[in-house]
Amino acid sequence: MIVNHLLFADDAVVFAASVKGLQRLLDICSNFAISHNVVLNATKSQCLITKSKYDLIGYPVFRLCGAPYTESYK
């Protein structure tokens, strides 16, 4: 079983193993919000990236409802 999201009341947590996978899940959330007239608050959203200390990756810009929301990373 793959768990890629957790929901509680009006909060959601989305998990992905890759940048591409996370953006795809965010696109699904955005499409749901548009089709169900739900507002997602990108200013309250945060991103946590876990990696090995030997990995050299850049920090990607994720989009939620078309707007970039990752100005800082945890």
Side-chain angles (χ1 to χ4, degrees), residues 5 8 14 16-17 19 40 42 44 46 50 61:
H5 65 282
F8 181 77
V14 182
V19 171
L40 299 177
K44 290 176 59 178
Q46 296 182 2
T50 58
V61 175

Side-chain angles (χ1 to χ4, degrees), residues 3-70:
V3 176
N4 62 6
H5 65 282
L6 299 174
L7 305 171
F8 181 77
D10 64 345
D11 294 323
V13 179
V14 182
F15 303 96
S18 68
V19 171
K20 187 176 180 179
L22 181 56
Q23 186 57 62
R24 183 169 179 186
L25 290 173
L26 293 174
D27 291 341
I28 291 168
C29 292
S30 297
N31 291 336
F32 177 86
I34 291 167
S35 66
H36 290 83
N37 200 25
V38 174
V39 177
L40 299 177
N41 189 346
T43 61
K44 290 176 59 178
S45 299
Q46 296 182 2
C47 184
L48 170 70
I49 296 178
T50 58
K51 61 180 183 168
S52 165
K53 66 179 180 179
Y54 302 109
D55 287 343
L56 299 175
I57 64 167
Y59 292 103
V61 175
F62 294 106
R63 295 184 139 343
L64 184 62
C65 293
Y69 80 92
T70 49

